[in-house]
Amino acid sequence: KRLILIGPPGSGKGTQSPLIKDEYCLCHLATGDMLRAAVAAKTPLGVKAKEAMDKGELVSDDLVVGIIDEAMKKPSCQNGFILDGFPRTVVQAQKLDEMLEKKGTKVDKVLNFAIDDAILEERITGRWIHPSSGRSYHTKFAPPKVPGVDDVTGEPLIQRKDDTAEVLKSRLEAFHRQTEPVIDYYYKKGIVANLHAEKPPKEVMAEVQKALS
Ligand code: AP5
Ligand code: ZN
Ligand code: ZN
């Protein structure tokens, strides 16, 4: 399957991705994770992306389209993929359609993580992540077995630099202004499934399974 996950910051895209990946055996491409890795490694891409990311603004379409184009060449992505956090502008959505058209394929389903903005601050400020795997935890909603430590690798967890109440405001603004039109773009194609993303993770996963069955 070729899937897109769209939703505001903290809506649960990263939480559901590994579950969807395990269930349907797809490649998981999260532009945010890839950009954070580039920033940490101080690559030319990371240097260009850092300023926008720290402010909670979107990185330029050309940069993210470039990394997706490259990442989609991976053998594991040939039979299906989950795009988490991409496309985030209508231009990105159009570019993705062009890329897939060349391969004679198209997006099958867009999972829309619909949720009220008011719930997101608590989710974002309580989040801890394991940078190399992208696994997310939450001090209240999904605590790790040992505080501050990844369950699988035993490595330390960190908080994202953009996970402050302040930067969240810009991220939400970018979502409503630039990314909501992308949901409309896919509505017109008739491939959007709306999820109740405010529900507990297990219930959201059940809705995902229903949408994909
Ligand atoms: P990105 O990394 O994509 O961040 P985001 O879209 O803001 O989304 P988040 O990762 O914050 O939220 P999530 O939905 O994954 O939430 P999670 O599952 O972890 O992008 C970061 C930046 O990179 C952007 O601001 C931009 O600068 C740049 N960028 C990335 N892609 C780009 C693009 N295509 N174009 C341009 N720029 C781009 O959950 C959050 C917390 O809540 C966790 O602690 C989790 O444990 C908890 N939680 C999850 N689900 C539930 C639940 N059901 N109930 C209770 N708690 C839950
Ligand atoms: Zn995420
Ligand atoms: Zn809105």
Side-chain angles (χ1 to χ4, degrees), residues 9-10 36 53-56 120-129 136-138 158-169 171:
R36 275 185 292 281
M53 293 179 78
D54 285 351
K55 284 195 286 193
L120 300 173
E121 186 177 318
E122 190 182 20
R123 283 203 188 174
I124 286 291
T125 53
R127 168 165 59 186
W128 287 80
I129 59 161
S136 286
Y137 298 87
H138 193 282
I158 60 156
Q159 285 197 288
R160 271 168 54 175
K161 204 176 168 205
D162 60 347
D163 275 354
T164 62
E166 180 72 23
V167 178
L168 175 62
K169 286 194 191 110
R171 290 161 64 195

Side-chain angles (χ1 to χ4, degrees), residues 91-108:
V91 170
Q92 291 177 19
Q94 289 164 339
K95 295 270 187 207
L96 174 65
D97 278 350
E98 284 169 28
M99 265 184 241
L100 295 176
E101 242 165 62
K102 278 185 206 153
K103 297 182 191 167
T105 62
K106 57 182 173 46
V107 176
D108 295 316

Side-chain angles (χ1 to χ4, degrees), residues 27-179:
C27 85
H28 171 223
L29 300 179
T31 39
D33 291 347
M34 295 190 264
L35 288 167
R36 275 185 292 281
V39 169
K42 297 194 169 71
T43 66
L45 168 73
V47 172
K48 283 187 205 143
K50 187 176 189 304
E51 200 187 330
M53 293 179 78
D54 285 351
K55 284 195 286 193
E57 292 168 4
L58 295 188
V59 173
S60 80
D61 288 334
D62 286 347
L63 285 184
V64 282
V65 168
I67 56 176
I68 282 291
D69 200 13
E70 199 48 48
M72 298 253 271
K73 289 176 185 156
K74 284 196 287 192
S76 62
C77 299
Q78 297 318 305
N79 296 318
F81 51 73
I82 309 166
L83 297 179
D84 164 359
F86 179 95
R88 252 178 159 90
T89 65
V90 172
V91 170
Q92 291 177 19
Q94 289 164 339
K95 295 270 187 207
L96 174 65
D97 278 350
E98 284 169 28
M99 265 184 241
L100 295 176
E101 242 165 62
K102 278 185 206 153
K103 297 182 191 167
T105 62
K106 57 182 173 46
V107 176
D108 295 316
K109 208 55 148 191
V110 175
L111 300 174
N112 176 27
F113 285 68
I115 189 166
D116 207 83
D117 282 6
I119 305 176
L120 300 173
E121 186 177 318
E122 190 182 20
R123 283 203 188 174
I124 286 291
T125 53
R127 168 165 59 186
W128 287 80
I129 59 161
H130 177 243
S132 62
S133 69
R135 265 185 294 279
S136 286
Y137 298 87
H138 193 282
T139 46
K140 187 165 150 193
F141 305 127
K145 292 189 186 98
V146 180
V149 176
D150 178 45
D151 288 352
V152 178
T153 61
E155 289 165 1
L157 302 176
I158 60 156
Q159 285 197 288
R160 271 168 54 175
K161 204 176 168 205
D162 60 347
D163 275 354
T164 62
E166 180 72 23
V167 178
L168 175 62
K169 286 194 191 110
S170 318
R171 290 161 64 195
L172 282 172
E173 202 188 293
F175 174 78
H176 291 298
R177 195 161 52 85
Q178 294 169 280
T179 307

